Amino acid sequence: MHLSPLGISPDKCLIAGRWVAPVSGETLPLENPSDGTTLCEIARGGATDINAAVQAAETALQGEWGRATAAERGRLLARIGQLVLEHTEMLAELEALDVGKPLKQARADVIALARYMEFYAGSADKLHGQTIPYMEGYTVYTLREPHGVTGHIIPWNYPMQIIGRSVGAALATGNACVLKPAEEACLTALAFGEIARRAGLPDGALNVVPGLGAEAGAALTEHEGVHHISFTGSVGVGKLIQRVASEHVVPVTLELGGKSPQVVFADADLDAALPFLVNAGIQNAGQTCSASSRILVHRSRYDEVLAAMAGRYSGLRAGPAMSDLDLGPLVSQRQKDIVEGFIAKGSDLEVAAQGQVVDGAPRGGAYVAPTLFGAVAPDHTLAQDEIFGPVQVVIPFDDEDHAVAIANGTKFGLVASCWTKDGARAMRMAKRLRAGQVFLNNYGAGGGVELPFGGTGLSGHGREKGFEALYGFTTLKTVAAFHG
């Protein structure tokens, strides 16, 4: 298989501007989640390949890339963004095949990737230091400088979007990157590496090494030459990465998922809220860190909201990615087993509605019918644990304090939403909800690249997206000049 029209083979690594086979010569099968067949073989990169990539990144920092001005970095990112748009259909088809998401969602991810490149292109030369009033005879100022070599371990659910918000910000601030994409879905990461190379990004400024997390990912985390690590993925792996990185006192940005609530008060506009209540839970088959898996509804409107959501659920259809339905398959049979295991744990609960897997969907595909549970206790495992599948629970509450207690009653804190016509209540809820992002009378705000994103608690720490990400990918230097 070739990543047409780029003409590169997915069984290679991009290191120092060249496509090379992994030193081991080994590959890994890449599953097509829509039918269970093997799409292609990808490189099984290991510690030796990661070491070569880190050395290439360091060489780039000592050479052309390290000498590039902020304005020059911005122009390069702008060219990358333009080339991404020129390859929209190719990238969307790769993402749909690889991840299993409907084609229309994959196209939206391509546009988001290009937008990240545009945003960080424009901000590359806008990151300023400060002058600090100080004692007589001193001039004191600060500089924001790149960390150096940054490691990026990205998940399989939104490869393009997370490349954009992570690698885009790191390159804008002058870092050199080593990217380890998920072994379950890495085709668009490889394609992006080639697009960046063709746009003129200097050799070694971006290196892409596919492979297993326990091999290539671990080697990247443990490498003494890596100066910052950005990781999006599971809580367990995030904790491990933070422990390993602490051995070298390396800063880490962690985005680890959530159990995000939408709180619907009695005065909410249900017509406006309903599409968000459902879509935020089933987009990408629920395999979204910020998926709204908990719907909290004032008891006076609980039956009404549950019935309205059930009506929507009954019309949802899951099928092959290229069929472009409401949902595609989950990314793998393993993920399907996990989600079905969670659904089984709700056997004692009310199933308010289920969508359907369409007739004719390949038997080998990783399909799960979207499932809506009603009357779920706040402490039930389905209301506490991240499922990462198309499963939502609806929970009644009595008053504002009760809603806040339930909403904040998990170990996560990524995203939350509040639906109410009472402006004062909305402002109170925005302050009281424990989450990195709070949306009032909407959910996601269109996913804007300008909006800082990250969480608290088990959702992680640090911020990606927006201008805030640039601070995370730089270190602050204070210069104090004595001149008498």
Side-chain angles (χ1 to χ4, degrees):
M1 176 182 180
H2 285 272
L3 303 185
S4 179
L6 298 176
I8 60 172
S9 297
D11 59 351
K12 301 289 194 299
C13 305
L14 177 61
I15 299 175
R18 296 186 301 114
W19 289 99
V20 295
V23 171
S24 68
E26 296 183 18
T27 60
L28 296 166
L30 191 65
E31 177 184 330
N32 181 344
S34 289
D35 59 17
T37 62
T38 297
L39 272 173
C40 61
E41 297 287 324
I42 62 169
R44 184 174 180 171
T48 303
D49 307 296
I50 289 291
N51 185 58
V54 172
Q55 290 181 355
E58 184 59 45
T59 299
L61 290 170
Q62 301 304 320
E64 180 183 358
W65 181 240
R67 294 191 297 270
T69 66
E72 289 168 340
R73 294 197 300 269
R75 292 189 194 106
L76 271 171
L77 289 177
R79 286 202 290 271
I80 294 171
Q82 184 57 45
L83 280 180
V84 166
L85 289 177
E86 291 176 11
H87 292 86
T88 294
E89 286 306 307
M90 182 270 292
L91 290 169
E93 289 178 10
L94 286 178
E95 196 85 326
L97 285 170
D98 206 3
V99 180
K101 63 182 60 179
L103 196 56
K104 56 179 173 288
Q105 293 181 20
R107 286 195 188 97
D109 288 355
V110 179
I111 302 304
L113 172 58
R115 178 70 186 115
Y116 277 113
M117 295 299 109
E118 294 165 354
F119 180 86
Y120 288 118
S123 61
D125 59 357
K126 312 297 188 300
L127 187 64
H128 304 151
Q130 296 178 319
T131 56
I132 301 173
Y134 196 54
M135 295 187 296
E136 183 67 26
Y138 283 86
T139 295
V140 180
Y141 59 95
T142 62
L143 300 171
R144 286 210 164 267
E145 299 180 334
H147 289 291
V149 178
T150 55
H152 304 257
I153 302 175
I154 66 168
W156 43 259
N157 57 338
Y158 287 93
M160 286 190 287
Q161 290 216 33
I162 297 174
I163 287 170
R165 76 191 197 200
S166 174
V167 172
L171 292 175
T173 47
N175 297 282
C177 305
V178 179
L179 170 62
K180 207 299 281 186
E183 57 268 31
E184 296 91 342
C186 65
L187 296 183
T188 51
L190 295 168
F192 179 79
E194 176 63 11
I195 286 171
R197 192 187 70 81
R198 294 188 182 196
L201 192 67
D203 294 347
L206 172 62
N207 307 274
V208 186
V209 182
L212 295 172
E215 297 173 356
L220 182 58
T221 303
E222 295 167 357
H223 202 291
E224 293 185 7
V226 175
H227 308 114
H228 179 281
I229 298 170
S230 176
F231 171 76
T232 300
S234 71
V235 173
V237 176
K239 289 180 177 180
L240 176 62
I241 285 174
Q242 183 159 279
R243 284 197 296 270
V244 173
S246 70
E247 293 296 318
H248 303 306
V249 197
V250 170
V252 179
T253 298
L254 297 177
E255 198 274 278
L256 306 179
K259 195 67 180 172
S260 301
Q262 294 195 63
V263 182
V264 183
F265 283 95
D267 64 344
D269 182 343
L270 183 55
D271 288 338
L274 186 58
F276 292 90
L277 298 180
V278 175
N279 293 345
I282 57 94
Q283 181 175 325
N284 196 28
Q287 300 168 121
T288 304
C289 301
S290 55
S292 176
S293 54
R294 295 185 296 152
I295 308 300
L296 283 51
V297 184
H298 190 271
R299 201 173 297 276
S300 67
R301 298 192 70 182
Y302 174 81
D303 291 339
E304 177 190 4
V305 172
L306 183 61
M309 292 186 66
R312 290 230 168 190
Y313 258 77
S314 63
L316 293 174
R317 297 181 302 156
M322 297 313 236
S323 297
D324 218 7
L325 303 174
D326 301 299
L327 298 84
L330 299 182
V331 74
S332 65
Q333 289 293 328
R334 176 179 177 274
Q335 188 63 20
K336 176 186 176 182
D337 292 343
I338 291 172
V339 174
E340 288 182 336
F342 272 108
I343 293 174
K345 292 177 182 178
S347 59
D348 58 326
L349 301 175
E350 169 199 358
V351 176
Q354 278 191 305
Q356 62 175 317
V357 177
V358 296
D359 293 337
R363 293 178 61 85
Y367 301 102
V368 172
T371 304
L372 179 69
F373 287 96
V376 178
D379 61 352
H380 194 284
T381 185
L382 296 186
Q384 288 289 316
D385 297 333
E386 186 176 39
I387 299 171
F388 231 57
V391 179
Q392 288 182 292
V393 300
V394 185
I395 305 170
F397 68 84
D398 297 315
D399 55 33
E400 187 176 314
D401 288 341
H402 191 204
V404 170
I406 296 172
N408 292 345
T410 75
K411 295 180 180 180
F412 296 96
L414 188 58
V415 173
S417 172
C418 171
W419 294 89
T420 179
K421 295 177 182 176
D422 185 331
R425 176 190 288 140
M427 292 298 101
R428 289 194 302 271
M429 292 294 290
K431 294 185 71 172
R432 298 181 71 186
L433 290 169
R434 189 174 66 244
Q437 287 186 327
V438 176
F439 299 104
L440 303 177
N441 294 316
N442 75 98
Y443 195 92
V449 306
E450 303 88 346
L451 311 180
F453 180 69
T456 62
L458 290 189
S459 291
H461 53 73
R463 293 295 179 264
E464 295 179 316
K465 301 178 63 172
F467 207 84
E468 191 70 25
L470 301 176
Y471 298 124
F473 280 108
T474 56
T475 183
L476 190 68
K477 176 185 287 183
T478 301
V479 180
F482 176 72
H483 41 68

